[in-house]
Amino acid sequence: MKNIKIIEVKSEIGAGTRGASLGVDAIKIAALDFMSNFFVHFPTEAIETENKLLFEPIESPYAKRIKGTLNMYERISKSVCETVKANWFPVLLSGDHSTAGATIAGLKMAHPKSKLGVIWIDAHADLHTPYTTPSGNMHGMPLATAIAEDNLDCKVHDLDETTTGMWNALKNIGKIAPKVLPEDIVFISLRDYEKEEDHLIKQYGMKVITTNEVRRKGPENISRSVFRYLSDCDYIYVSFDVDSLDASISKGTGTPVSNGLREREAEDLIAKFMQHRKICCFEITEVNPTLDRENLMAEIAFNILQRSVNVLMMN
C-alpha cells in the first residue's frame, strides 16, 4: 500500500491570468461540498510561495518573475526529493503549471541514476523558452527546463545577462541536466501550441496522443501503448493540467481549449495510469476558481484526485 503525501503549491507567478493560487483551496472546498474527509487522511506540506511578486514590477519580460520561479523550484524540488526518499508517494496540487519542472527535478534528484518518464496531459506543450516565448509567462516553459532546452533554432528574443543566468539555473537545478530525455515525454490531448514548440516535438520525435485517439482507442489501450513506449523508464510522473479537458467544462482555468477530453475520459485514463507500478508521482494543476461557475472545475479535479489516489492505494 502506497503511503501518500500531499504537497500544496499555491503559486501562480508563472501564469498570465490571476487566480490559480486559489485552486488548491477550491479543490478542498469541493471535497467538503461532497462531504468527503479525503484531506484528513494524508499528511500535507504547504510550500511557501512567491506570490508577493505579483504586486511588483516585472524585471524580465521574456521570463516574468523568473527569480521567484527559481526560488519555487528550489523549495519544491527539495520537498519532492525528501518525500520520495522517505518512501512517500507525492501527490502535488499546484496553482500554475510552471512549477511542474520543479516536481520533475525533485523526482530526478531522488533517483539520479534512474530514467524518468513523463506523461503530460495538457492542451499545451509547455516547451517554450525565454528565447521563444510569445507571452513571457513561465507556465509555458516547465518541460523546456526539464529537458534543458533553449531552442535557439527558433530564437526570437535576446536575453539580458540576469535572465540568462537564472534560466540556466532553472535548467540545472539539482545539478542534473537534463532531468528527462525529450523522447521520454508523452503528450496527451495536446492541441494548442506554437511553431517553436512544434519544432522541438518534431526534432526529438516526441510522442503525441490526440483527444480523438484517446476516444477511439479507449483508456485501456492508450495506457498499454504509453507504458510500452516508456518501457525503458524506471519511474514515470503524471502531470494533469485541467485545461486538457474540453473548453465546455474547463471554464475554471486560465487557458481553456476546445476539442479536449471529457471528464470521464480523463478520469478513466488517469485511473488506468495509476495502476502501473512505475508511476512515482501525480500532479493536478491550473484550477482557477475566479474564472469558474459554482466551483465546477475544482469538483471535477477533486473527483479525478480522489479516484486516482484510491487506485494508488489499492495497487
Side-chain angles (χ1 to χ4, degrees):
M1 188 163 164
K2 285 194 168 74
N3 295 317
I4 285 157
K5 178 177 165 188
I6 294 172
I7 300 174
E8 297 178 357
V9 185
K10 298 179 185 178
S11 174
E12 62 165 279
I13 56 171
T17 312
R18 300 283 62 85
S21 60
L22 307 170
V24 177
D25 286 332
I27 292 171
K28 289 178 155 183
I29 288 164
L32 292 172
D33 286 344
F34 289 138
M35 293 190 284
S36 166
N37 58 359
F38 176 88
F39 286 99
V40 175
H41 296 304
F42 308 107
T44 302
E45 180 185 359
I47 305 292
E48 182 194 349
T49 74
E50 295 285 326
N51 291 339
K52 61 182 182 292
L53 294 177
L54 295 168
F55 299 98
E56 296 177 14
I58 287 165
E59 291 173 353
S60 298
Y62 307 124
K64 294 173 182 172
R65 308 179 188 91
I66 189 169
K67 190 177 180 183
T69 304
L70 182 55
N71 289 339
M72 293 305 299
Y73 264 54
E74 283 166 353
R75 286 173 203 151
I76 295 162
S77 59
K78 182 173 183 282
S79 166
V80 169
C81 178
E82 288 172 356
T83 299
V84 171
K85 283 184 165 176
N87 286 321
W88 294 90
F89 184 102
V91 171
L92 283 93
L93 304 179
S94 306
D96 75 59
H97 217 169
S98 64
T99 56
T103 307
I104 294 170
L107 295 171
K108 186 65 177 175
M109 285 154 62
H111 302 294
K113 293 191 164 61
S114 298
K115 197 166 156 64
L116 183 62
V118 172
I119 300 173
W120 197 259
I121 310 169
D122 194 330
H124 307 93
D126 295 343
L127 279 168
H128 272 295
T129 78
Y131 299 100
T132 68
T133 175
S135 68
N137 296 326
M138 295 297 297
H139 72 164
M141 307 186 197
L143 278 184
T145 70
I147 64 171
E149 177 63 68
D150 292 335
N151 198 9
L152 296 179
D153 290 350
C154 302
K155 177 180 168 181
V156 286
H157 309 302
D158 291 312
L159 305 189
D160 61 83
E161 212 174 296
T162 307
T163 304
T164 306
M166 284 194 278
W167 174 248
N168 289 334
L170 274 182
K171 290 181 296 178
N172 288 291
I173 209 109
K175 299 185 173 61
I176 306 169
K179 318 291 189 285
V180 180
L181 298 176
E183 57 268 29
D184 292 331
I185 297 170
V186 177
F187 292 103
I188 294 180
S189 204
L190 176 66
R191 57 200 188 276
D192 183 18
Y193 52 100
E194 281 78 38
K195 65 181 188 302
E196 295 87 356
E197 295 173 296
D198 190 45
H199 172 80
L200 291 179
I201 291 168
K202 289 197 167 82
Q203 179 184 329
Y204 292 117
M206 296 162 94
K207 188 170 180 65
V208 177
I209 296 171
T210 64
T211 304
N212 292 340
E213 207 176 326
V214 172
R215 204 156 285 161
R216 199 172 68 248
K217 294 182 178 174
E220 177 79 49
N221 289 326
I222 292 292
S223 85
R224 204 175 289 138
S225 72
V226 167
F227 289 120
R228 198 162 46 236
Y229 178 79
L230 295 175
S231 60
D232 284 353
C233 295
D234 304 298
Y235 298 97
I236 298 168
Y237 154 70
V238 178
S239 194
F240 172 61
D241 186 323
V242 295
D243 72 24
S244 62
L245 299 166
D246 190 70
S248 61
I249 51 172
S250 67
K251 290 184 169 43
T253 189
T255 45
V257 186
S258 58
N259 192 31
L261 298 169
R262 300 184 189 114
E263 177 185 352
R264 192 58 193 262
E265 288 169 335
E267 195 181 312
D268 289 349
L269 187 59
I270 293 168
K272 273 275 170 274
F273 290 150
M274 292 301 143
Q275 291 175 9
H276 202 279
R277 62 185 174 78
K278 287 185 180 179
I279 298 297
C280 65
C281 178
F282 178 49
E283 183 155 9
I284 294 183
T285 185
E286 295 278 359
V287 172
N288 186 337
T290 67
L291 304 172
D292 208 3
R293 293 179 63 182
E294 298 173 350
N295 211 27
L296 178 67
M297 189 80 270
E299 289 184 354
I300 291 170
F302 175 68
N303 284 334
I304 291 170
L305 170 68
Q306 183 169 237
R307 183 165 165 206
S308 302
V309 167
N310 286 342
V311 171
L312 273 172
M313 290 174 69
M314 285 189 300
N315 283 286

